[in-house]
Amino acid sequence: MASPAAKVMIEVDSKWEAVIGLEVHVQLNTRTKLFSQARNGDVTAAPNQNANLVDLAYPGTLPVLNLAALTHAIRFGAAIDGSIARVCSFERKHYFYPDLPKGYQISQYSQPIVGAGVFNLWFEDGQTKTVRIRRAHLEEDAGKSIHDWLPDSTALDFNRAGTPLLEIVTEPDLHTPLEAAMFLRQLHALVIWLDLGSGNLYEGAVRCDANVSLRPKGNKNLGTACELKNLNSFKFLKNALRYEFDRQVAVLSTGASVRRETRSYDPVSGSTRSMRPKEQDRDYRYLPDPDLPPISISETTISEIRSNMPELPATVRDRFLRNFNLTPDQAYRLTLEKPLAELFEATTELCKDPQTTANWILGKVTAIRKRKQSRAQDIPISARQLSQLIERVKDGTLGFNTGKELLGKFWDTNQDLDQIIKTHDITQISDRDQISRWAARVVEENEELIPKLINGEEKLYEYFIGQVMKLSRGKANPQLVRQALQRLVTMEDKHNSSENLD
């Protein structure tokens, strides 16, 4: 069976190779905007409530850099071992959109805050791939055009205008849609791990543009790239690239040339469509912003930020593999989200059973969280509660299904495990005599099935166990129930054998 790393290489036509580079825009979670004192990041605000005169580009207003955004950018640069600029500067990037009040965007071009770095893409089987990061720079977001509020008109909401963005640009090192989606997923996880932003894809807190071109296999020259704009889900990125690959193969196979253009993705039809010709850098007419002087960054500042960095996912992943003997897939999934990794490590420290803890977190905890639509940061289960639950299930005090039920109750109450058990009267029954009486009753009521059990139809045990569990209202220890049933069946077998001898 092909490994996950191998699977991503079989998504494309054997004659062609896709070359993919991503530009990921991350909204930073600073208190105020990049160049104004307006409140940042309040997605519940009424339209234009959080847009001040600076955001609306009133004449005479001046931008003032938010240093918290600069710190966030340096933190990201440290995480990818990128070069941190000692001097960075801002330029005006000129283009027209109705929701771009100034007619230009303040961005970084010639001197970005973060230069070349590396991102180690991780596959579920433990293999890795190095993806080079070309740069990461700060810029302000535009407002939002809303086309379905007013008939025959477009409404403009400037709450988002001026939101600090960190644009992360990769080299064209990705070669399949799945590989690109995995990169975005892991970069998204790193953004949240570093507390740079909310990462909420639905709200557009992370958006991705993908540049994709094709070239004949073995050819090192780059083909003509098309840019796919504003993809805000891992699934959309993967599907858009798959469609675009097939489209470009069809174009090139006829002997025609791919046009350099910007395209949008329609998730309903699963197709991309042309929006406009793709701009060149010269089309933006970059020029230094006269209102923002170059920013000097001292070695002391960079050292302080580096010293306060959390342990990074790759380091935690390696430690989980080394110390807890997890599978690569378990270590990968646990370290996609920092709260899951912290819950795992703290619970394992208490119950001393890393494998069982990983299974509970990756299985039952994440399933309940998904059902309740909770974020990882909102998991209301402590390591103490989870370790107690695991230990009670292991020693037979609670049944496995009862344990799953209790996990769900942790979302709905602040009670500890013992209080919940007492309140809902769900302690598992392990009284062997009582369980034997229930088992005897079930055997008596289903006497005609006993010969089948004796003759090896083991699956019937599940039916018998289910009947005993009904009698006990789900409280009987399933392991003891099975043992009691097996004793009764063995006795019945011996009894029948004695009668046959007589």
Side-chain angles (χ1 to χ4, degrees):
M1 183 176 178
S3 69
K7 286 179 182 177
V8 299
M9 302 308 296
I10 60 176
E11 286 191 286
V12 296
D13 187 286
S14 59
K15 183 180 176 182
W16 300 95
E17 179 182 48
V19 179
I20 301 166
L22 300 182
E23 300 171 9
V24 183
H25 299 80
V26 176
Q27 290 184 350
L28 302 178
N29 59 359
T30 55
R31 184 178 60 84
T32 57
K33 294 184 180 180
L34 186 56
F35 298 114
S36 83
Q37 289 298 304
R39 185 178 178 184
N40 178 47
D42 182 6
V43 297
T44 65
N48 298 305
Q49 178 176 320
N50 291 330
N52 67 14
L53 298 183
V54 176
D55 305 322
L56 297 173
Y58 271 57
T61 57
L62 294 173
V64 178
L65 177 63
N66 185 336
L67 293 181
L70 194 70
T71 299
H72 277 9
I74 296 172
R75 279 168 61 83
F76 177 77
I80 63 165
D81 198 25
S83 61
I84 310 298
R86 300 310 183 264
V87 177
C88 67
S89 61
F90 288 91
E91 279 93 356
R92 294 181 176 183
K93 178 182 180 181
H94 294 82
Y95 59 93
F96 173 77
Y97 279 125
D99 49 24
L100 190 69
K102 293 189 287 287
Y104 61 84
Q105 177 188 39
I106 301 177
S107 182
Q108 293 187 315
Y109 180 63
S110 61
Q111 293 178 298
I113 179 62
V114 178
V118 293
F119 188 96
N120 290 316
L121 183 60
W122 229 77
F123 299 100
E124 294 96 325
D125 61 355
Q127 296 184 51
T128 60
K129 174 189 173 81
T130 297
V131 178
R132 294 170 296 160
I133 304 298
R134 180 181 299 171
R135 58 188 281 148
H137 61 265
L138 289 167
E139 63 184 21
E140 60 180 347
D141 207 346
K144 185 186 294 185
S145 296
I146 304 171
H147 305 290
D148 56 358
W149 277 13
L150 303 171
D152 304 320
S153 298
T154 294
L156 298 177
D157 178 7
F158 291 104
N159 279 342
R160 197 176 68 182
T163 293
L165 294 179
L166 183 66
E167 180 173 344
I168 301 158
V169 183
T170 77
E171 297 290 354
D173 291 342
L174 301 163
H175 296 289
T176 72
L178 180 56
E179 206 173 67
M182 291 179 70
F183 172 86
L184 183 61
R185 175 70 180 91
Q186 292 174 40
L187 181 65
H188 173 268
L190 179 63
V191 165
I192 299 174
W193 190 287
L194 296 173
D195 194 27
L196 304 181
S198 72
N200 192 312
L201 294 162
Y202 178 75
E203 293 169 356
V206 174
R207 310 190 296 274
C208 177
D209 300 338
N211 293 283
V212 56
S213 64
L214 298 187
R215 63 187 178 192
K217 277 283 182 67
N219 192 323
K220 298 304 180 184
N221 296 323
L222 294 177
T224 301
C226 292
E227 182 181 35
L228 308 179
K229 294 290 288 185
N230 291 328
L231 300 162
N232 66 342
S233 91
F234 315 127
K235 180 180 178 181
F236 290 173
L237 172 61
K238 183 164 57 176
N239 290 347
L241 286 170
R242 283 174 173 165
Y243 178 89
E244 188 61 20
F245 175 83
D246 291 340
R247 186 190 73 83
Q248 292 190 25
V249 166
V251 171
L252 294 171
S253 296
T254 65
S257 299
V258 172
R259 286 200 313 157
R260 177 182 167 87
E261 61 183 349
T262 296
R263 300 179 67 87
S264 65
Y265 172 67
D266 178 9
V268 177
S269 66
S271 62
T272 67
R273 62 179 180 83
S274 180
M275 295 174 63
R276 59 182 181 271
K278 171 62 181 163
E279 302 92 339
Q280 304 276 1
D281 284 347
R282 61 176 178 270
D283 296 326
Y284 292 120
R285 294 175 291 117
Y286 283 99
L287 59 86
D289 193 302
D291 298 326
L292 289 163
I295 310 297
S296 297
I297 304 165
S298 69
E299 289 286 353
T300 301
T301 297
I302 295 172
S303 297
E304 287 178 355
I305 292 172
R306 288 187 188 276
S307 66
N308 291 318
M309 291 283 288
E311 191 178 22
L312 295 176
T315 305
V316 177
R317 193 179 302 132
D318 291 340
R319 184 161 51 76
F320 283 4
L321 289 170
R322 184 175 62 252
N323 294 352
F324 301 122
N325 200 31
L326 299 180
T327 67
D329 178 58
Q330 288 174 321
Y332 165 74
R333 293 167 61 198
L334 283 170
T335 54
L336 276 174
E337 297 174 277
K338 191 175 182 182
L340 290 184
E342 291 174 338
L343 178 61
F344 165 78
E345 192 155 20
T347 303
T348 298
E349 179 67 26
L350 293 172
C351 71
K352 311 300 182 185
D353 190 341
Q355 191 58 238
T356 301
T357 300
N359 289 338
W360 272 89
I361 292 175
L362 295 175
K364 311 304 173 294
V365 172
T366 54
I368 294 172
R369 184 191 66 175
K370 183 177 181 180
R371 187 170 73 245
K372 293 182 177 289
Q373 298 182 329
S374 299
R375 300 175 303 168
Q377 295 92 325
D378 299 332
I379 295 176
I381 297 177
S382 70
R384 181 181 58 82
Q385 289 173 320
L386 184 56
S387 65
Q388 288 177 343
L389 187 63
I390 291 171
E391 288 166 351
R392 298 286 182 87
V393 172
K394 285 174 64 178
D395 67 19
T397 306
L398 295 173
F400 181 70
N401 289 332
T402 303
K404 289 196 297 182
E405 179 185 348
L406 280 171
L407 268 181
K409 295 185 184 300
F410 284 136
W411 256 265
D412 306 318
T413 179
N414 293 323
Q415 293 179 319
D416 64 24
L417 181 61
D418 289 331
Q419 288 174 317
I420 292 175
I421 289 173
K422 183 177 180 180
T423 301
H424 296 276
D425 188 26
I426 54 178
T427 303
Q428 183 164 274
I429 296 174
S430 296
D431 184 327
R432 293 177 183 273
D433 291 337
Q434 178 61 65
I435 289 174
S436 294
R437 288 193 290 271
W438 282 326
R441 176 177 167 182
V442 169
V443 167
E444 183 179 347
E445 292 175 352
N446 296 275
E447 191 172 353
E448 71 280 2
L449 298 177
I450 297 301
K452 294 183 179 181
L453 265 178
I454 293 172
N455 290 328
E457 292 193 29
E458 292 286 327
K459 290 183 179 180
L460 280 173
Y461 270 117
E462 302 307 319
Y463 168 77
F464 276 78
I465 290 171
Q467 296 304 303
V468 174
M469 297 305 289
K470 282 184 180 180
L471 288 176
S472 69
R473 292 184 300 169
K475 295 182 180 181
N477 183 320
Q479 187 175 359
L480 296 182
V481 170
R482 180 178 288 274
Q483 292 173 1
L485 288 167
Q486 288 173 335
R487 284 196 301 272
L488 290 170
V489 171
T490 300
M491 290 171 59
E492 188 71 24
D493 188 22
K494 289 180 178 178
H495 176 70
N496 291 343
S497 297
S498 298
E499 285 185 346
N500 290 338
L501 289 174
D502 293 342

